[in-house]
Coordinates of all heavy atoms in Angstrom, one line a residue:
M1 N 29.6 15.1 18.9 CA 31.0 14.9 19.3 C 31.0 15.1 20.8 O 30.4 16.0 21.4 CB 31.9 15.8 18.5 CG 33.3 15.5 18.8 SD 34.4 16.3 17.6 CE 34.1 15.3 16.1
E2 N 31.8 14.2 21.4 CA 31.9 14.2 22.9 C 33.4 14.6 23.3 O 34.3 14.5 22.5 CB 31.6 12.9 23.5 CG 30.2 12.3 23.2 CD 29.1 13.1 23.9 OE1 29.4 13.6 25.0 OE2 28.1 13.2 23.3
V3 N 33.6 15.1 24.5 CA 34.9 15.5 25.0 C 35.1 14.7 26.3 O 34.3 14.7 27.2 CB 35.0 17.0 25.3 CG1 36.4 17.3 25.8 CG2 34.6 17.8 24.1
N4 N 36.3 14.0 26.3 CA 36.6 13.2 27.6 C 37.3 14.1 28.6 O 37.4 15.3 28.4 CB 37.5 12.0 27.2 CG 38.9 12.3 26.8 OD1 39.3 13.5 26.9 ND2 39.6 11.3 26.3
S5 N 37.7 13.5 29.7 CA 38.2 14.3 30.9 C 39.5 15.0 30.6 O 39.8 16.0 31.3 CB 38.3 13.4 32.1 OG 39.2 12.4 31.8
V6 N 40.2 14.6 29.6 CA 41.5 15.3 29.3 C 41.4 16.2 28.1 O 42.4 16.7 27.6 CB 42.7 14.3 29.1 CG1 43.0 13.6 30.4 CG2 42.4 13.3 28.0
G7 N 40.1 16.5 27.6 CA 39.9 17.4 26.5 C 40.0 16.8 25.2 O 40.1 17.6 24.2
L8 N 40.1 15.5 25.0 CA 40.1 14.9 23.7 C 38.7 14.7 23.2 O 37.8 14.3 23.9 CB 40.9 13.6 23.7 CG 42.3 13.6 24.2 CD1 42.9 12.2 24.3 CD2 43.1 14.4 23.2
Y9 N 38.5 14.9 21.9 CA 37.2 14.8 21.2 C 37.1 13.3 20.7 O 38.1 12.8 20.2 CB 37.1 15.8 20.1 CG 37.0 17.2 20.6 CD1 38.1 18.0 20.7 CD2 35.7 17.7 20.9 CE1 38.0 19.3 21.1 CE2 35.6 19.0 21.3 CZ 36.7 19.8 21.4 OH 36.6 21.1 21.9
F10 N 35.9 12.8 20.8 CA 35.7 11.5 20.2 C 34.2 11.4 19.8 O 33.4 12.2 20.3 CB 36.0 10.4 21.2 CG 35.2 10.4 22.5 CD1 34.1 9.6 22.6 CD2 35.6 11.2 23.5 CE1 33.4 9.6 23.8 CE2 34.9 11.2 24.7 CZ 33.8 10.5 24.9
N11 N 33.9 10.5 18.8 CA 32.6 10.3 18.3 C 32.0 9.1 19.0 O 32.7 8.1 19.2 CB 32.5 10.1 16.8 CG 32.8 11.4 16.1 OD1 32.4 12.5 16.5 ND2 33.6 11.3 15.0
I12 N 30.7 9.1 19.2 CA 29.9 7.9 19.6 C 28.9 7.6 18.5 O 28.1 8.4 18.2 CB 29.2 8.2 21.0 CG1 30.2 8.5 22.1 CG2 28.4 7.0 21.3 CD1 29.6 8.9 23.4
D13 N 29.1 6.4 18.0 CA 28.1 5.9 17.0 C 27.0 5.1 17.7 O 27.3 4.4 18.6 CB 28.8 5.1 15.9 CG 29.8 5.9 15.1 OD1 29.5 7.1 14.8 OD2 30.8 5.3 14.7
K14 N 25.8 5.3 17.2 CA 24.7 4.6 17.7 C 23.9 3.9 16.6 O 23.8 4.4 15.5 CB 23.7 5.6 18.5 CG 24.4 6.3 19.6 CD 23.5 7.4 20.2 CE 24.1 8.1 21.3 NZ 25.0 9.2 20.9
C15 N 23.4 2.8 16.9 CA 22.7 2.0 15.9 C 21.3 1.6 16.5 O 21.3 1.0 17.6 CB 23.4 0.8 15.4 SG 22.6 -0.2 14.2
L16 N 20.2 1.9 15.8 CA 18.9 1.5 16.3 C 18.2 0.7 15.3 O 18.1 1.1 14.1 CB 18.1 2.8 16.6 CG 16.7 2.6 17.1 CD1 16.6 1.8 18.4 CD2 16.0 3.9 17.2
I17 N 17.8 -0.5 15.6 CA 17.1 -1.4 14.7 C 15.7 -1.6 15.2 O 15.5 -2.0 16.4 CB 17.8 -2.7 14.5 CG1 19.2 -2.5 14.0 CG2 17.0 -3.7 13.6 CD1 20.1 -3.7 14.0
C18 N 14.7 -1.3 14.3 CA 13.3 -1.5 14.7 C 12.7 -2.6 13.8 O 12.9 -2.6 12.6 CB 12.5 -0.2 14.5 SG 13.0 1.1 15.6
S19 N 11.8 -3.4 14.3 CA 11.1 -4.4 13.5 C 9.7 -4.3 13.8 O 9.2 -4.3 15.0 CB 11.6 -5.8 13.9 OG 13.0 -6.0 13.6
D20 N 8.9 -4.2 12.7 CA 7.4 -4.2 12.8 C 7.0 -5.7 12.7 O 7.0 -6.3 11.7 CB 6.8 -3.4 11.8 CG 5.3 -3.3 11.9 OD1 4.7 -3.9 12.8 OD2 4.7 -2.6 11.0
T21 N 6.5 -6.3 13.8 CA 6.2 -7.7 13.8 C 4.7 -7.9 13.8 O 4.2 -9.0 13.9 CB 6.8 -8.4 15.0 OG1 6.3 -7.8 16.2 CG2 8.3 -8.4 15.0
I22 N 3.9 -6.8 13.8 CA 2.4 -6.9 13.9 C 1.9 -6.5 12.5 O 2.1 -5.5 12.0 CB 1.8 -6.0 14.9 CG1 2.4 -6.4 16.3 CG2 0.3 -6.0 14.9 CD1 2.0 -5.4 17.4
A23 N 1.2 -7.5 11.9 CA 0.7 -7.3 10.5 C -0.5 -6.3 10.5 O -1.2 -6.1 11.5 CB 0.1 -8.6 10.0
P24 N -0.7 -5.5 9.4 CA -1.8 -4.6 9.3 C -3.1 -5.4 9.4 O -3.2 -6.6 9.2 CB -1.7 -4.1 7.9 CG -0.3 -4.3 7.5 CD 0.1 -5.5 8.2
Q25 N -4.2 -4.8 9.9 CA -5.5 -5.4 10.0 C -6.4 -4.8 9.0 O -6.6 -3.6 8.8 CB -6.1 -5.1 11.4 CG -5.2 -5.6 12.6 CD -5.2 -7.1 12.6 OE1 -6.2 -7.8 12.5 NE2 -3.9 -7.6 12.5
I26 N -7.1 -5.8 8.3 CA -8.1 -5.4 7.2 C -9.3 -4.9 7.9 O -9.9 -5.7 8.7 CB -8.4 -6.5 6.3 CG1 -7.1 -7.0 5.6 CG2 -9.5 -6.1 5.3 CD1 -6.5 -6.1 4.6
I27 N -9.8 -3.7 7.7 CA -11.0 -3.2 8.3 C -12.2 -3.4 7.3 O -13.2 -3.8 7.7 CB -10.9 -1.7 8.5 CG1 -9.8 -1.4 9.6 CG2 -12.2 -1.1 9.0 CD1 -9.4 0.0 9.7
T28 N -11.9 -3.1 6.0 CA -12.9 -3.3 5.0 C -12.3 -4.1 3.9 O -11.3 -3.7 3.3 CB -13.4 -2.0 4.4 OG1 -13.9 -1.2 5.5 CG2 -14.5 -2.2 3.4
P29 N -12.8 -5.3 3.6 CA -12.2 -6.1 2.5 C -12.5 -5.5 1.2 O -13.4 -4.7 1.0 CB -12.8 -7.5 2.7 CG -14.1 -7.3 3.4 CD -13.9 -6.0 4.3
P30 N -11.7 -5.8 0.1 CA -12.0 -5.3 -1.2 C -13.3 -5.9 -1.7 O -13.7 -6.9 -1.3 CB -10.8 -5.8 -2.0 CG -10.2 -6.9 -1.3 CD -10.5 -6.7 0.2
R31 N -14.0 -5.1 -2.5 CA -15.3 -5.5 -3.0 C -15.3 -5.8 -4.5 O -14.5 -5.2 -5.2 CB -16.3 -4.4 -2.7 CG -16.1 -3.1 -3.4 CD -17.0 -2.0 -3.0 NE -16.9 -0.8 -3.8 CZ -15.8 0.0 -3.8 NH1 -14.8 -0.2 -3.0 NH2 -15.8 1.1 -4.6
D32 N -16.1 -6.7 -4.9 CA -16.3 -6.9 -6.3 C -17.0 -5.6 -6.9 O -17.6 -4.8 -6.1 CB -17.2 -8.1 -6.6 CG -16.5 -9.4 -6.2 OD1 -15.3 -9.4 -6.1 OD2 -17.3 -10.4 -5.9
T33 N -17.0 -5.5 -8.2 CA -17.6 -4.3 -8.8 C -18.2 -4.7 -10.1 O -17.8 -5.7 -10.7 CB -16.6 -3.1 -8.9 OG1 -17.4 -2.0 -9.2 CG2 -15.6 -3.4 -10.0
S34 N -19.1 -3.9 -10.6 CA -19.7 -4.1 -11.9 C -20.1 -2.7 -12.4 O -20.3 -1.8 -11.6 CB -20.9 -5.0 -11.9 OG -21.9 -4.4 -11.0
F35 N -20.2 -2.5 -13.7 CA -20.5 -1.3 -14.3 C -21.5 -1.5 -15.4 O -21.5 -2.5 -16.1 CB -19.2 -0.6 -14.9 CG -18.1 -0.4 -13.9 CD1 -17.0 -1.2 -14.0 CD2 -18.2 0.6 -13.0 CE1 -16.0 -1.1 -13.1 CE2 -17.1 0.8 -12.1 CZ -16.0 -0.1 -12.1
E36 N -22.3 -0.4 -15.6 CA -23.2 -0.4 -16.8 C -22.3 -0.4 -18.1 O -21.2 0.2 -18.1 CB -24.1 0.8 -16.7 CG -25.1 0.7 -15.6 CD -26.1 -0.4 -15.7 OE1 -26.6 -0.7 -16.8 OE2 -26.5 -1.0 -14.7
C37 N -22.9 -0.9 -19.2 CA -22.2 -0.8 -20.4 C -21.9 0.7 -20.8 O -22.7 1.6 -20.4 CB -23.0 -1.4 -21.5 SG -23.2 -3.2 -21.4
G38 N -20.8 0.9 -21.4 CA -20.4 2.3 -21.8 C -19.3 2.2 -22.8 O -19.0 1.1 -23.3
T39 N -18.6 3.3 -23.1 CA -17.5 3.3 -24.0 C -16.3 2.6 -23.4 O -16.2 2.5 -22.1 CB -17.1 4.7 -24.4 OG1 -16.6 5.3 -23.2 CG2 -18.3 5.5 -24.9
A40 N -15.5 2.0 -24.2 CA -14.3 1.3 -23.7 C -13.4 2.2 -22.8 O -13.0 1.8 -21.7 CB -13.5 0.8 -24.9
S41 N -13.3 3.5 -23.2 CA -12.4 4.4 -22.4 C -13.1 4.7 -21.0 O -12.4 4.8 -20.0 CB -12.1 5.7 -23.1 OG -13.3 6.4 -23.4
D42 N -14.4 4.8 -21.0 CA -15.1 5.0 -19.7 C -15.0 3.8 -18.8 O -14.7 3.9 -17.6 CB -16.6 5.3 -20.0 CG -17.4 5.6 -18.8 OD1 -16.9 6.5 -18.0 OD2 -18.5 5.0 -18.6
L43 N -15.1 2.6 -19.4 CA -15.0 1.4 -18.6 C -13.6 1.2 -18.1 O -13.4 0.8 -16.9 CB -15.4 0.1 -19.4 CG -16.9 0.0 -19.7 CD1 -17.2 -1.1 -20.6 CD2 -17.7 -0.2 -18.4
I44 N -12.6 1.5 -18.9 CA -11.2 1.4 -18.5 C -10.9 2.4 -17.4 O -10.3 2.1 -16.4 CB -10.2 1.6 -19.7 CG1 -10.3 0.4 -20.6 CG2 -8.8 1.8 -19.2 CD1 -9.6 0.6 -21.9
A45 N -11.5 3.6 -17.5 CA -11.3 4.6 -16.4 C -11.9 4.1 -15.1 O -11.3 4.3 -14.0 CB -11.9 5.9 -16.8
K46 N -13.1 3.6 -15.2 CA -13.8 3.1 -13.9 C -13.0 1.9 -13.3 O -12.8 1.9 -12.1 CB -15.2 2.7 -14.2 CG -16.1 3.9 -14.5 CD -17.5 3.5 -14.8 CE -18.4 4.7 -15.1 NZ -19.8 4.3 -15.5
L47 N -12.6 1.0 -14.2 CA -11.8 -0.2 -13.7 C -10.5 0.2 -13.1 O -10.1 -0.3 -12.0 CB -11.6 -1.2 -14.8 CG -12.8 -2.0 -15.1 CD1 -12.6 -2.8 -16.4 CD2 -13.2 -3.0 -14.0
T48 N -9.8 1.2 -13.7 CA -8.6 1.7 -13.2 C -8.7 2.3 -11.8 O -7.9 2.1 -10.9 CB -7.9 2.6 -14.2 OG1 -7.7 1.9 -15.4 CG2 -6.6 3.2 -13.7
A49 N -9.8 3.2 -11.7 CA -10.0 3.8 -10.4 C -10.3 2.8 -9.3 O -9.8 2.9 -8.2 CB -11.2 4.8 -10.5
W50 N -11.1 1.8 -9.7 CA -11.4 0.7 -8.7 C -10.2 0.0 -8.3 O -9.9 -0.3 -7.1 CB -12.5 -0.2 -9.3 CG -12.7 -1.5 -8.5 CD1 -13.6 -1.6 -7.5 CD2 -12.1 -2.8 -8.7 NE1 -13.5 -2.9 -7.0 CE2 -12.7 -3.6 -7.8 CE3 -11.2 -3.3 -9.6 CZ2 -12.3 -5.0 -7.7 CZ3 -10.9 -4.6 -9.6 CH2 -11.4 -5.4 -8.6
Y51 N -9.4 -0.4 -9.3 CA -8.1 -1.1 -9.0 C -7.2 -0.3 -8.2 O -6.6 -0.8 -7.2 CB -7.5 -1.5 -10.4 CG -6.2 -2.3 -10.3 CD1 -6.3 -3.6 -10.0 CD2 -5.0 -1.7 -10.5 CE1 -5.1 -4.4 -9.9 CE2 -3.8 -2.4 -10.4 CZ -3.9 -3.7 -10.1 OH -2.7 -4.4 -10.0
N52 N -7.0 1.0 -8.5 CA -6.0 1.8 -7.8 C -6.5 2.1 -6.4 O -5.6 2.5 -5.6 CB -5.8 3.1 -8.6 CG -5.0 2.9 -9.9 OD1 -4.3 1.9 -10.0 ND2 -5.1 3.8 -10.8
S53 N -7.8 2.0 -6.1 CA -8.2 2.2 -4.7 C -8.3 0.9 -4.0 O -8.9 0.8 -2.9 CB -9.6 2.8 -4.7 OG -10.6 1.9 -5.2
A54 N -7.6 -0.2 -4.5 CA -7.6 -1.5 -3.9 C -9.0 -2.1 -3.7 O -9.3 -2.7 -2.7 CB -6.8 -1.5 -2.5
G55 N -9.8 -1.8 -4.6 CA -11.2 -2.3 -4.6 C -12.0 -1.8 -3.4 O -13.0 -2.4 -3.0
G56 N -11.6 -0.6 -2.9 CA -12.3 -0.1 -1.7 C -11.9 -0.6 -0.4 O -12.4 -0.3 0.6
A57 N -10.8 -1.4 -0.4 CA -10.3 -2.0 0.9 C -9.7 -1.0 1.8 O -9.1 0.0 1.3 CB -9.3 -3.1 0.6
K58 N -9.9 -1.2 3.1 CA -9.3 -0.3 4.1 C -8.6 -1.1 5.1 O -9.0 -2.2 5.4 CB -10.4 0.5 4.8 CG -11.3 1.3 3.9 CD -10.6 2.6 3.4 CE -11.5 3.4 2.6 NZ -10.9 3.9 1.4
A59 N -7.5 -0.6 5.6 CA -6.7 -1.4 6.6 C -6.1 -0.4 7.5 O -5.9 0.8 7.2 CB -5.6 -2.2 5.9
T60 N -5.6 -0.9 8.7 CA -5.0 0.0 9.7 C -3.7 -0.8 10.1 O -3.6 -2.0 10.1 CB -5.9 0.3 10.9 OG1 -5.2 1.2 11.8 CG2 -6.3 -1.0 11.6
D61 N -2.7 0.0 10.5 CA -1.5 -0.6 11.0 C -1.0 0.2 12.2 O -1.2 1.4 12.4 CB -0.4 -0.5 9.9 CG 0.9 -1.3 10.2 OD1 0.8 -2.5 10.4 OD2 1.9 -0.7 10.3
N62 N -0.4 -0.5 13.1 CA 0.0 0.1 14.4 C 1.2 1.0 14.3 O 1.5 1.8 15.2 CB 0.4 -1.0 15.4 CG 1.6 -1.8 15.1 OD1 1.9 -2.0 13.9 ND2 2.4 -2.2 16.1
S63 N 1.9 1.0 13.2 CA 3.1 1.8 13.1 C 3.2 2.8 12.0 O 4.0 3.7 12.1 CB 4.4 0.9 13.0 OG 4.3 0.2 11.7
D64 N 2.3 2.7 11.0 CA 2.4 3.7 9.9 C 1.2 3.6 9.0 O 0.2 2.8 9.3 CB 3.7 3.3 9.1 CG 4.2 4.6 8.3 OD1 3.5 5.6 8.3 OD2 5.3 4.5 7.8
T65 N 1.2 4.3 8.0 CA 0.1 4.3 7.0 C 0.2 3.0 6.2 O 1.3 2.6 5.8 CB 0.2 5.5 6.1 OG1 0.2 6.7 6.9 CG2 -0.9 5.5 5.0
V66 N -0.9 2.4 5.8 CA -0.9 1.2 5.0 C -0.8 1.6 3.6 O -1.5 2.5 3.1 CB -2.2 0.4 5.2 CG1 -2.3 -0.8 4.2 CG2 -2.3 -0.1 6.7
I67 N 0.1 1.1 2.8 CA 0.3 1.3 1.4 C 0.0 0.0 0.7 O 0.7 -1.0 0.9 CB 1.8 1.8 1.1 CG1 2.0 3.1 1.8 CG2 1.9 1.9 -0.4 CD1 3.5 3.5 1.8
W68 N -1.0 0.0 -0.2 CA -1.4 -1.2 -0.9 C -0.4 -1.4 -2.1 O -0.1 -0.4 -2.8 CB -2.8 -1.0 -1.5 CG -3.8 -0.9 -0.4 CD1 -4.4 0.3 0.1 CD2 -4.4 -1.9 0.4 NE1 -5.3 0.0 1.1 CE2 -5.3 -1.4 1.3 CE3 -4.3 -3.3 0.3 CZ2 -6.1 -2.1 2.2 CZ3 -5.0 -4.1 1.2 CH2 -5.9 -3.5 2.1
K69 N 0.0 -2.6 -2.2 CA 0.9 -2.9 -3.3 C 0.3 -4.1 -4.1 O 0.2 -5.2 -3.6 CB 2.3 -3.3 -2.8 CG 3.2 -3.6 -3.9 CD 4.6 -4.0 -3.4 CE 5.5 -4.4 -4.6 NZ 6.8 -4.9 -4.1
Q70 N -0.1 -3.8 -5.3 CA -0.7 -4.9 -6.2 C 0.4 -5.7 -6.7 O 1.5 -5.2 -7.1 CB -1.5 -4.3 -7.3 CG -2.8 -3.6 -6.8 CD -2.6 -2.1 -6.4 OE1 -1.5 -1.6 -6.4 NE2 -3.7 -1.5 -6.0
N71 N 0.2 -7.0 -6.8 CA 1.3 -7.8 -7.4 C 0.9 -8.4 -8.8 O 1.4 -9.4 -9.2 CB 1.6 -9.0 -6.4 CG 0.4 -9.9 -6.2 OD1 -0.7 -9.6 -6.7 ND2 0.5 -10.9 -5.4
L72 N 0.0 -7.7 -9.5 CA -0.3 -8.1 -10.8 C -0.7 -6.8 -11.6 O -0.9 -5.8 -11.0 CB -1.4 -9.1 -10.9 CG -2.7 -8.9 -10.1 CD1 -3.7 -8.0 -10.8 CD2 -3.3 -10.2 -9.7
T73 N -0.7 -6.9 -12.9 CA -1.1 -5.7 -13.7 C -2.6 -5.7 -13.9 O -3.2 -6.7 -13.8 CB -0.3 -5.7 -15.0 OG1 -0.8 -6.8 -15.8 CG2 1.2 -5.8 -14.9
L74 N -3.1 -4.5 -14.2 CA -4.5 -4.4 -14.4 C -5.0 -5.3 -15.5 O -6.0 -5.9 -15.5 CB -4.8 -2.9 -14.7 CG -6.3 -2.6 -14.8 CD1 -7.1 -2.9 -13.6 CD2 -6.5 -1.1 -15.1
Q75 N -4.2 -5.4 -16.6 CA -4.6 -6.2 -17.7 C -4.7 -7.7 -17.3 O -5.5 -8.4 -17.9 CB -3.6 -6.1 -18.9 CG -3.5 -4.8 -19.6 CD -2.8 -3.7 -18.8 OE1 -2.0 -4.0 -17.8 NE2 -3.0 -2.5 -19.1
Q76 N -4.0 -8.2 -16.4 CA -4.1 -9.6 -15.9 C -5.3 -9.8 -15.1 O -5.8 -10.9 -15.0 CB -2.9 -9.9 -15.1 CG -1.6 -10.0 -15.9 CD -0.4 -10.2 -15.0 OE1 -0.3 -9.6 -13.9 NE2 0.5 -11.0 -15.4
S77 N -5.9 -8.8 -14.5 CA -7.0 -9.0 -13.6 C -8.4 -8.8 -14.1 O -9.3 -9.0 -13.4 CB -6.8 -8.1 -12.3 OG -6.9 -6.7 -12.7
I78 N -8.5 -8.3 -15.4 CA -9.8 -8.0 -15.9 C -10.4 -9.2 -16.6 O -9.8 -9.8 -17.5 CB -9.7 -6.8 -16.9 CG1 -9.3 -5.5 -16.1 CG2 -11.1 -6.5 -17.6 CD1 -9.0 -4.3 -17.0
T79 N -11.7 -9.5 -16.2 CA -12.5 -10.4 -17.0 C -13.8 -9.7 -17.3 O -14.4 -9.2 -16.4 CB -12.8 -11.7 -16.2 OG1 -11.5 -12.3 -15.8 CG2 -13.6 -12.7 -16.9
I80 N -14.1 -9.6 -18.5 CA -15.4 -8.9 -18.9 C -16.4 -9.9 -19.3 O -16.1 -10.8 -20.2 CB -15.1 -7.9 -20.0 CG1 -14.2 -6.8 -19.5 CG2 -16.4 -7.3 -20.5 CD1 -13.8 -5.8 -20.6
S81 N -17.5 -9.9 -18.7 CA -18.6 -10.9 -19.0 C -19.8 -10.0 -19.4 O -20.2 -9.0 -18.8 CB -19.0 -11.7 -17.8 OG -17.9 -12.4 -17.3
I82 N -20.5 -10.5 -20.5 CA -21.7 -9.8 -20.9 C -22.9 -10.7 -20.5 O -23.0 -11.9 -20.8 CB -21.7 -9.7 -22.5 CG1 -20.5 -8.8 -22.9 CG2 -23.0 -9.1 -22.9 CD1 -20.4 -8.7 -24.4
I83 N -23.7 -10.1 -19.7 CA -24.9 -10.8 -19.1 C -26.1 -10.2 -19.8 O -26.4 -9.0 -19.7 CB -24.9 -10.6 -17.6 CG1 -23.7 -11.1 -17.0 CG2 -26.2 -11.3 -17.0 CD1 -23.5 -10.8 -15.5
H84 N -26.9 -11.1 -20.3 CA -28.2 -10.6 -21.0 C -29.4 -10.8 -20.1 O -29.5 -11.7 -19.4 CB -28.4 -11.4 -22.3 CG -27.3 -11.1 -23.3 ND1 -27.3 -10.0 -24.1 CD2 -26.2 -11.8 -23.6 CE1 -26.3 -10.0 -24.9 NE2 -25.6 -11.1 -24.6

């Protein structure tokens, strides 16, 4: 609150708008992965950990921490191939 020359009080509102116009930079791209055969729960745990870590990808941003946001569900992204 401010006071003018005759002792009246008044408020000054301020508005600040910031825009981040520089995209994050990928330092390490996500990597493919494979696992040895195991129990279904073990494979699901490993795939979930890989998925939740963005496949090991790393990025940097000039204004804040990079938060990875996946745009699909884990069930949509899994393909299991058996190689003999």
Side-chain angles (χ1 to χ4, degrees):
M1 189 161 290
E2 302 291 327
V3 179
N4 69 9
S5 61
V6 294
L8 297 175
Y9 291 90
F10 61 96
N11 289 324
I12 298 175
D13 293 326
K14 298 171 184 86
C15 180
L16 176 65
I17 299 173
C18 297
S19 296
D20 183 359
T21 59
I22 300 172
Q25 298 296 306
I26 302 293
I27 298 168
T28 305
R31 67 186 184 286
D32 292 338
T33 192
S34 61
F35 303 106
E36 293 292 324
C37 291
T39 64
S41 61
D42 184 48
L43 290 173
I44 289 170
K46 288 178 180 179
L47 283 169
T48 300
W50 172 82
Y51 181 78
N52 289 340
S53 70
K58 303 285 184 223
T60 185
D61 189 60
N62 68 324
S63 64
D64 205 350
T65 302
V66 174
I67 299 172
W68 296 98
K69 181 179 177 188
Q70 292 84 358
N71 61 357
L72 48 87
T73 65
L74 185 59
Q75 290 80 15
Q76 291 172 320
S77 66
I78 296 175
T79 302
I80 297 176
S81 300
I82 299 174
I83 301 171
H84 295 277

